[in-house]
């Protein structure tokens, strides 16, 4: 083989592993041209086959017809150039060409049918089954809407024998399931796809395509967890792959019909180039149809004017892009209908575009920027009781309802008083001063996130209360206004106003003109204002103690009037605030008792919904101080008690706390469910970069531990930007760590190594270096698995240094051994360097064993030393350029094998377990056989057989099987003959 031919072969091999797309195609075209210059026809065949493959897995499939026709001509003219592999490739690619023509509306049906006939003829001549021919006939009939022919072809296809020319079973099941799904038989479709989804069958494009096909059928069947998982798994596989445009489209359509329009828009934005272009028309039609479903959904939700990414790095409004997309769809569908002489394609497109949402919202766990709010939707056909009340003009009824909700301290009271105000404005009816004050008071408290607005409303309400003769409520309202003032940032004037309000209330209370509830409410608000100033105090501890004493005094006052109206609730509020203060000075038990008591008091008062704050604070306190069981119980209680009125932000936080607590106790299935809810509510609350990032981290970790690596990876990848934005170093490291583990399970070691290294770069600056060492070692393992030898050696050296500094001898030894094996690889220093690393490992283990006094530690070190001797023996034998025998002209191989035997002997003598000794014995047996000592080899094998006897178990069976192999090699009986 000339140097040029060798170089082309090498380049072909490289290009086969390149990413599908126009760059790979262009390189394949260059290599065909180079192969032509060599005059080497078999090389040209290889280059042409690779060119056809490159086109097949890209948007340039139309180009494959020319090189394939050339290959067919070469086969007819020079069949002797085609080896067994080339003959197989030629007939295999015949399927691609025959079915590929269907996707081009400018290729008439008659030539396609002739190709199918020719395919059948050539398969018959080659002695192949007609199964792929019938499959291609089925595809054409299904596309043109010839149902009768499709049914016959499907029956003939599935009845024909499978042979080496049949499509892989995964691809066949894809088509079988899609047939059922198109006929509305979702159960049968999912059942057909099940073996592929379970991992029993796979290929280059499966399960990628089936994962996308299964999404809507699973949703229609109510199997939403599976649909979510298949989306997370499937989109990672299909993303950016030109040959999988229809699959990418199905993920977009799934998002559009499950309330995940923002996620769908992000996926579309990553593939906008394919909204225009010259790809396979049928594939483009699939993709454009999905894009149109999403864009229609956006316009229906009132986002028609929203700018969305468009081809050419531009933007258009959703409505504009929809118009252009629908025009392109109509043109493509018309072309196929004219070619086919049916309306099958346009009918299918119309049905798809008419699709309506299957769910209001299916939380996916991955982050998607929330769509902005639009104008309120039309009122429901059957109005709710609240909606009916809001439109009522009966002010007497509305005021009575609002006051009842206020007395019960219901969250809905704010909305009820707002309805009173709207009804008064709508009817032009003036409110009396008391009702007017109550409307403003509740509006102010509902506006505390806008402190200046709240202050204005509360100040006006206080004046109205006074005008109504409610002097106690007026003073209490001034206390609330002071709190709003503090929130606005003017703390000194706020404290002065709070002092004045509290003083007035004390005087009124003494004259029985203000209630204990009004007085204690104002006192608690003043304490909260002071609590906000503790951090700026000259002596924060003393300031906090003063606030704690103030709250304790409030509790004494409230307890003295415990039986008065709603005072029990004030005792609960004060107890909860006291819990915060006690927690702040590090009394975890005292704080937990206070939060628990506050919750019990609210429930005793008949206001269980107000117990949420105490339960929520207890859950977080317990989680942060290593009591996940209490945290889980309290978070569940808070969620149960607050179901009706918790805000999205509260839902997000509590679900995430509960998820973390469950994860900490090993309950990953339920943890994943609550983390998913936490992520969903965080997105609803616009808190995706804090609580949302944390929730996704917990979800990704739970999915990872549950063995759902692809789903976990998708979640963790979207969590990382949020965690970085929130500056949570520890969480960023954990996310990268788990993501690296997932990527290893997905056989992406290079990407895994990158994650481990990025995490290690953060952890290197931490005072505790355990995580840094772990991450360095994990990165080394991943780099080793990826075949990046130089980088792996450097990473192992780094890990070794870190483990030495931490005194973790077993891990030092393992890093050295791993490095030794790398040194044996081609292009590396070889056996001398490998031996030095193994010797260092043995010396390190032996020294640690000699110094160890703890028996458990000694057992571990003894096993490490034995493993090192055993691996040294294996390394010496494997590192020889030849085996002992005729080719061992200088005796170096025999000497190495003899030395290897010494090390295996040391290993057997050092191991403390039978399993370890037997492993060493068997390695020694093989070395004895290679040295030409069959009797010695057989003796070692028989010793292993005697060790295990008839014992059951995987290890015993494996050892006996290997011992039997040694005896077969040495042609020795497994036992002495009977006398």
């Amino acid at each position: 083989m000339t140097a040029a031919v060798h170089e082309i072969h090498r380049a072909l091999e490289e290009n086969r592993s390149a990413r599908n797309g126009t760059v790979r195609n262009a390189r394949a075209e260059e290599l065909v041209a180079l192969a032509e210059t060599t005059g080497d026809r078999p090389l040209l065949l290889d280059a042409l086959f690779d060119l056809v493959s490159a086109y097949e897995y890209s948007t340039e499939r139309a180009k494959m017809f020319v090189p394939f026709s050339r290959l067919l001509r070469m086969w007819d003219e020079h069949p002797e150039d085609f080896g067994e592999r080339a003959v197989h490739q030629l007939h295999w690619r015949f399927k691609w060409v025959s079915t590929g023509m269907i996707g081009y509306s400018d290729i008439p049906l008659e030539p396609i049918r002739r190709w199918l006939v020719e395919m059948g003829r050539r398969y018959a001549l080659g002695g192949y089954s007609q199964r792929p021919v019938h499959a291609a006939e089925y595809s054409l009939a299904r596309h043109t809407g010839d149902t009768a022919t499709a049914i016959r072809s499907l029956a003939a296809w599935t009845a024909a024998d499978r042979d080496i020319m049949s499509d892989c079973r995964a691809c066949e099941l894809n088509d079988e399931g899609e047939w059922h799904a198109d006929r509305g038989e979702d159960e049968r479709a999912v059942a057909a796809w099940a073996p592929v989804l379970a991992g029993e069958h796979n290929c280059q494009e499966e399960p990628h395509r089936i994962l996308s096909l299964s999404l809507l059928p699973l949703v229609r069947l109510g199997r939403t967890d599976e649909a979510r998982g298949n989306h997370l798994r499937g989109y990672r596989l299909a993303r950016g792959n030109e040959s999988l445009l229809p699959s990418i489209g199905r993920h977009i359509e799934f998002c559009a019909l499950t309330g995940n329009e923002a996620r769908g828009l992000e996926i579309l934005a990553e593939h906008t180039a394919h909204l225009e272009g010259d790809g396979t028309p049928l594939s483009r039609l699939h993709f454009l149809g999905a894009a149109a479903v999403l864009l229609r959904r956006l316009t229906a939700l009132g986002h028609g004017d929203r700018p969305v990414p468009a081809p050419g790095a531009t933007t258009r409004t959703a409505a504009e892009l929809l118009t252009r997309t629908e025009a392109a769809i109509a043109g493509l569908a018309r072309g196929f209908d004219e070619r086919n002489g049916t309306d099958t394609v346009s009918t299918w497109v119309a049905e798809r575009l008419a699709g309506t949402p299957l769910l209001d919202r299916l939380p996916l766990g991955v982050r998607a920027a929330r769509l902005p709010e639009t104008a309120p939707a039309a009122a429901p056909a059957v109005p709710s009781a609240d909606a009916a009340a809001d439109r009522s003009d009966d002010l007497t009824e509305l005021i009575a309802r609002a006051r009842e909700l206020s007395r019960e301290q219901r969250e809905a009271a704010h909305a009820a008083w707002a309805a009173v105000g709207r009804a008064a404005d709508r009817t032009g009816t003036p409110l009396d001063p008391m009702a007017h004050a109550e409307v403003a008071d509740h509006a102010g408290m509902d506006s505390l996130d806008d402190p200046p607005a709240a202050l204005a409303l509360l100040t006006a309400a206080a004046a109205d209360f006074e005008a109504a003769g409610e002097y106690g409520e007026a003073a209490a309202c001034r206390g609330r206004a002071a709190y709003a003032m503090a929130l606005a940032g003017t703390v000194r004037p706020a404290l002065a106003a709070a002092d004045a309000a509290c003083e007035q209330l004390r005087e009124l209370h003494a004259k029985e003109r203000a209630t204990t509830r009004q007085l204690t409410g104002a006192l608690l608000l003043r304490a909260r204002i002071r609590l906000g100033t503790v951090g700026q105090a000259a002596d924060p501890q003393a300031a906090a103690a003063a606030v704690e004493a103030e709250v304790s005094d409030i509790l004494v006052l409230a307890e003295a009037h415990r039986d008065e109206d709603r005072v029990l609730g004030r005792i609960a509020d004060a107890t909860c605030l006291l819990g915060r203060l006690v927690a702040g000075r590090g009394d975890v038990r005292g704080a937990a008792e206070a939060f628990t008591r506050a919750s019990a008091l609210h429930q005793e008062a008949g206001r269980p919904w107000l117990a949420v704050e105490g339960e929520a604070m207890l859950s977080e306190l317990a989680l942060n101080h290593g009591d996940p069981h209490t945290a889980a119980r309290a978070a569940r209680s808070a969620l149960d008690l607050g179901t009706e009125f918790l805000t999205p932000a509260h839902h997000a936080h509590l679900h995430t706390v509960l998820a973390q607590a469950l994860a900490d106790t090993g309950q990953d299935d339920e943890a994943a469910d609550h983390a998913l809810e936490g992520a969903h509510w965080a997105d609803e609350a616009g808190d995706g970069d804090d609580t949302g990032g944390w929730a996704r981290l917990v979800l990704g970790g739970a999915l990872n531990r549950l063995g759902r690596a692809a789903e976990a990876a998708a979640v963790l990848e979207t969590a990382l930007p949020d965690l970085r934005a929130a500056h949570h170093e520890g969480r960023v490291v954990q996310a990268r760590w788990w993501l690296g583990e997932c990527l290893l399970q997905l056989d992406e070691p290079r990407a895994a190594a990158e994650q481990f290294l990025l995490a290690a770069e953060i952890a290197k600056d931490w005072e505790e270096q355990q995580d840094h060492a772990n991450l360095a070692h994990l990165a080394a393992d991943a780099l080793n698995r990826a075949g990046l030898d130089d980088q792996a050696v450097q990473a192992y050296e780094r890990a070794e240094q870190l483990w030495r500094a931490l005194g973790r001898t077993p891990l030092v030894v393992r890093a050295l051994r791993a490095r030794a094996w790398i040194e044996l690889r081609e292009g590396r220093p070889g056996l001398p360097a490998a031996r030095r690393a193994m010797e260092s490992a043995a010396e390190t283990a032996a020294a640690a064993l000699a110094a160890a006094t703890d028996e458990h530690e000694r057992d571990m070190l003894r096993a490490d030393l034995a493993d090192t001797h055993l691996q040294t023996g294996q390394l010496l034998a494997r590192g020889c350029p030849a085996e002992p025998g005729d080719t061992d002209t200088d005796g170096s191989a025999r000497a190495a094998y003899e030395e290897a035997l010494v090390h295996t002997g040391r290993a057997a003598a050092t191991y403390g377990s039978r399993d370890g000794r037997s492993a060493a014995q068997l390695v020694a047996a093989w070395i004895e056989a290679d040295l030409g000592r069959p009797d010695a080899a057989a003796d070692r094998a028989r010793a292993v057989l005697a060790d295990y006897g008839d014992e059951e178990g995987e290890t015993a069976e494996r050892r006996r099987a290997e011992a039997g192999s040694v005896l077969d090699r040495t042609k020795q009986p497994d036992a002495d003959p009977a006398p």
Side-chain angles (χ1 to χ4, degrees):
M1 184 185 294
T2 66
V5 169
H6 176 78
E7 193 62 27
I8 294 170
H9 272 299
R10 186 188 60 76
L12 285 169
E13 194 63 40
E14 286 180 359
N15 204 41
R16 287 184 192 115
S17 59
R19 187 176 183 83
N20 296 328
T22 54
V23 174
R24 180 188 174 192
N25 295 354
R27 181 58 172 155
E29 290 164 356
E30 291 174 7
L31 294 173
V32 167
L34 288 171
E36 286 176 323
T37 66
T38 66
D40 187 324
R41 288 208 300 265
L43 175 64
L44 179 58
L45 287 176
D46 279 350
L48 286 167
F49 281 128
D50 284 348
L51 180 58
V52 172
S53 294
Y55 288 149
E56 165 68 12
Y57 293 107
S58 74
T59 55
E60 297 182 314
R61 292 183 72 193
K63 292 185 177 181
M64 73 176 168
F65 303 135
V66 172
F68 182 77
S69 296
R70 184 176 179 185
L71 283 164
L72 208 55
R73 187 169 62 252
M74 292 171 71
W75 163 249
D76 290 336
E77 294 173 355
H78 296 285
E80 68 279 4
D81 291 341
F82 287 71
E84 183 178 346
R85 178 173 175 273
V87 171
H88 181 273
Q89 288 191 80
L90 179 74
H91 288 83
W92 187 269
R93 283 158 177 74
F94 218 120
K95 299 183 296 182
W96 295 355
V97 173
S98 299
T99 55
M101 290 179 176
I102 298 171
Y104 293 88
S105 57
D106 57 349
I107 300 179
L109 291 181
E110 192 53 38
I112 298 175
R113 292 188 175 113
R114 287 200 301 271
W115 267 93
L116 292 178
V117 171
E118 181 66 8
M119 177 181 173
R121 185 183 74 83
R122 288 183 179 267
Y123 270 46
L125 287 173
Y128 302 120
S129 168
Q130 292 292 298
R131 186 181 179 97
V133 181
H134 295 313
E137 292 167 347
Y138 158 79
S139 296
L140 179 60
R142 183 165 166 265
H143 168 74
T144 58
D146 185 352
T147 304
T149 301
I151 292 172
R152 288 196 301 273
S153 298
L154 178 62
W157 159 33
T158 54
D161 292 337
R162 286 186 56 80
D163 66 2
I164 60 171
M165 211 48 62
S166 300
D167 279 341
C168 79
R169 191 66 186 127
C171 288
E172 289 190 336
L173 290 172
N174 175 312
D175 290 338
E176 290 179 30
E178 193 170 8
W179 166 259
H180 293 305
D182 286 350
R183 295 163 70 86
E185 301 168 345
D186 290 333
E187 286 278 10
R188 295 185 68 183
V190 174
W193 293 324
V196 181
L197 294 174
E200 295 175 24
H201 308 287
N202 61 73
C203 69
Q204 187 167 342
E205 292 192 337
E206 295 297 356
H208 318 33
R209 295 185 300 163
I210 285 178
L211 285 165
S212 70
L213 282 166
S214 71
L215 297 173
L216 295 183
L218 285 169
V219 173
R220 288 193 291 265
L221 291 170
R223 295 160 64 174
T224 52
D225 286 345
E226 293 172 68
R228 178 192 302 111
N230 288 0
H231 168 64
L232 296 177
R233 289 173 60 198
Y235 182 61
R236 282 195 84 253
L237 293 171
R239 182 179 183 179
N241 194 328
E242 288 186 357
S243 68
L244 293 173
L245 270 185
S247 297
I248 293 166
R250 291 188 193 98
H251 286 283
I252 293 172
E253 182 180 19
F254 164 76
C255 291
L257 300 182
T258 57
N260 290 285
E261 296 84 6
R263 166 76 168 168
L265 196 54
E266 289 183 0
I267 296 174
L268 180 61
E270 294 178 345
H271 301 89
T272 49
H274 297 298
L275 291 172
E276 296 178 356
D278 302 321
T280 306
L282 192 55
S283 291
R284 284 198 64 231
L285 185 58
H286 277 277
F287 180 73
L288 291 173
V293 171
L294 173 64
L295 294 168
R296 282 190 173 195
R297 184 71 189 134
L298 290 173
T299 55
L301 291 173
H303 297 293
D305 293 333
R306 176 188 174 89
V308 297
T314 62
T315 59
R316 293 183 179 274
T317 68
E320 289 171 344
L321 189 57
L322 174 60
T323 300
R324 291 170 61 91
T325 302
E326 288 184 334
I329 289 169
L332 288 167
R334 184 168 54 251
F336 282 109
D337 283 348
E338 290 173 355
R339 191 272 302 271
N340 298 339
T342 68
D343 64 354
T344 299
V345 173
S346 59
T347 299
W348 163 73
V349 168
E351 290 174 352
R352 187 181 195 187
L353 296 187
T356 55
L358 300 175
L359 296 171
D360 289 336
R361 180 71 190 271
L362 173 62
L364 298 177
V366 289
R367 175 75 184 277
R370 191 170 179 232
L371 294 175
E373 296 291 339
T374 59
V382 181
S384 66
D386 286 344
D390 190 34
R391 292 195 301 277
S392 172
D393 290 336
D394 187 338
L395 277 171
T396 301
E397 180 184 335
L398 289 174
I399 291 171
R401 179 172 176 272
R403 283 177 176 156
E404 180 183 359
L405 290 171
S406 296
R407 279 194 57 77
E408 292 180 355
Q409 296 174 267
R410 295 275 188 178
E411 188 74 13
H414 295 305
W417 282 111
V420 170
R422 285 191 294 272
D425 291 341
R426 189 165 56 243
T427 61
T429 305
L431 294 171
D432 63 59
M434 184 63 183
H436 197 274
E438 289 169 295
V439 168
D441 186 20
H442 282 84
M445 292 304 290
D446 201 32
S447 304
L448 287 174
D449 55 349
D450 182 2
L455 176 59
L457 286 163
L458 292 167
T459 301
D464 285 336
F465 279 127
E466 197 154 75
E470 290 288 337
Y471 300 108
E473 200 59 50
C477 195
R478 291 190 187 96
R480 294 191 281 275
Y483 185 65
M485 193 184 302
L487 292 178
T490 53
V491 179
R492 282 183 179 276
L495 278 172
D499 285 341
C502 289
E503 186 59 33
Q504 184 181 11
L505 279 163
R506 283 190 187 279
E507 292 176 4
L508 290 168
H509 185 257
K511 298 174 182 177
E512 298 185 353
R513 295 175 64 189
T515 66
T516 304
R517 181 177 179 277
Q518 291 167 341
L519 172 57
T520 52
L523 291 169
L524 279 171
L525 285 173
R526 183 175 66 178
R528 290 180 187 275
I529 295 172
R530 286 184 177 158
L531 181 58
T533 67
V534 165
Q536 290 76 47
D539 186 346
Q541 283 186 323
V547 177
E548 186 177 334
E550 185 176 346
V551 175
S552 297
D553 289 343
I554 296 170
L555 273 170
V556 171
L557 170 63
E559 285 286 0
H561 298 271
R562 183 186 183 92
D563 296 331
E564 289 183 21
D565 181 39
R566 290 179 283 172
V567 171
L568 204 56
R570 284 287 187 253
I571 297 173
D573 291 339
T575 303
C576 201
L577 181 55
L578 186 64
R580 288 180 56 190
L581 290 158
V582 170
R585 59 178 166 80
D587 184 355
V588 176
R589 176 175 291 184
E593 289 173 354
F595 294 141
T596 302
R597 181 165 181 261
S599 175
L601 284 165
H602 277 305
Q603 296 188 62
E604 181 185 344
R607 308 284 192 269
W609 52 89
L610 296 177
V612 170
E613 182 183 7
E615 296 287 6
M617 297 185 79
L618 175 60
S619 68
E620 190 152 8
L621 177 77
L623 183 67
N624 292 336
H625 289 85
D627 185 1
H629 294 285
T630 298
R633 185 208 58 74
R636 282 188 205 280
S637 178
L639 285 166
D640 290 342
L641 293 168
T643 300
E644 296 179 11
F645 65 85
L646 285 174
T647 66
H650 286 129
H651 271 294
H653 190 74
L654 285 167
H655 275 293
T656 306
V657 168
L658 177 53
Q660 182 70 71
L662 291 166
D664 290 349
T665 56
Q667 300 175 72
D668 285 317
D669 274 312
E670 193 180 357
D673 291 340
H674 285 284
L676 184 66
E677 284 296 311
H680 162 67
W681 284 109
D683 289 343
E684 288 295 306
D687 190 21
D689 60 348
D690 193 354
T691 305
W694 178 25
R696 275 179 266 276
L697 174 66
V698 177
L699 175 59
L703 292 171
N704 178 31
R705 291 187 295 276
L706 289 167
R708 295 157 63 179
E711 297 169 59
V715 170
L716 292 167
E717 285 166 349
T718 65
L720 271 167
D722 295 331
L723 296 173
R724 291 200 302 270
H727 306 292
H728 287 303
E729 262 195 2
R731 290 178 183 172
V732 171
V733 167
Q734 184 63 82
R736 293 199 183 282
W737 192 325
W738 282 335
L739 179 55
E741 291 176 350
C742 293
L743 293 169
L744 282 178
Q745 292 179 60
L746 297 171
D747 199 25
E748 300 177 35
R750 186 187 293 254
E754 180 183 3
Q755 294 301 326
F756 291 137
L757 289 170
L758 287 169
E761 188 64 20
I762 298 172
K764 74 176 184 181
D765 296 324
W766 293 355
E767 183 177 351
E768 170 56 57
Q769 287 290 286
Q770 176 79 19
D771 286 339
H772 182 200
N774 264 317
L775 288 161
H777 205 138
L778 287 167
D781 289 341
L783 291 165
N784 187 6
R785 186 166 151 186
L788 300 171
D789 296 345
D790 290 344
Q791 296 96 315
V793 166
Q794 291 173 8
Y796 278 125
E797 288 174 344
R798 180 184 183 186
E800 177 199 339
Q801 293 166 2
L802 290 166
W803 290 131
R804 282 191 189 279
L806 290 167
R808 300 293 299 278
T809 300
L811 293 165
V812 172
V813 169
R814 287 168 204 175
L816 286 164
R817 291 200 307 244
R819 204 176 81 204
W821 286 107
I822 295 175
E823 302 295 17
L824 273 190
R825 293 176 185 163
E826 184 178 353
R828 300 295 305 168
L831 187 57
R835 287 187 66 164
R836 285 195 296 273
M838 280 292 187
E839 287 167 0
S840 178
E843 290 167 3
T844 300
L849 178 60
T853 56
D854 179 78
E855 196 54 40
H856 176 68
E857 182 184 4
R858 288 181 59 80
D859 287 343
M860 291 178 58
L861 290 166
R862 189 179 295 109
D864 279 323
L865 180 57
D867 286 343
T868 304
H869 282 308
L870 180 57
Q871 289 191 36
T872 301
Q874 293 170 315
L875 182 138
L876 288 167
R878 196 173 301 174
C880 284
E883 291 184 4
D886 294 340
T887 58
D888 182 23
T889 54
D890 61 356
S892 59
R894 174 166 288 276
Y897 272 61
E898 293 285 5
E899 186 180 355
L901 199 57
V902 171
H903 281 283
T904 57
R906 289 175 182 167
T910 306
Y911 275 120
S913 68
R914 178 189 59 176
D915 290 343
R917 286 194 303 274
S918 63
Q921 281 279 57
L922 288 168
V923 172
W926 288 113
I927 294 173
E928 296 274 27
D930 288 338
L931 285 167
R933 301 170 187 164
D935 291 342
D939 287 344
R940 291 180 185 273
R942 290 194 193 99
V944 171
L945 289 173
D947 268 348
Y948 287 95
D950 296 330
E951 182 180 320
E952 295 182 357
E954 183 180 347
T955 301
E957 290 173 9
R958 192 167 62 247
R959 293 287 193 266
R960 283 196 296 268
E962 189 172 354
S965 297
V966 172
L967 293 174
D968 289 342
R969 163 80 181 277
T970 59
K971 296 184 173 55
Q972 296 288 323
D974 61 0
D976 294 330

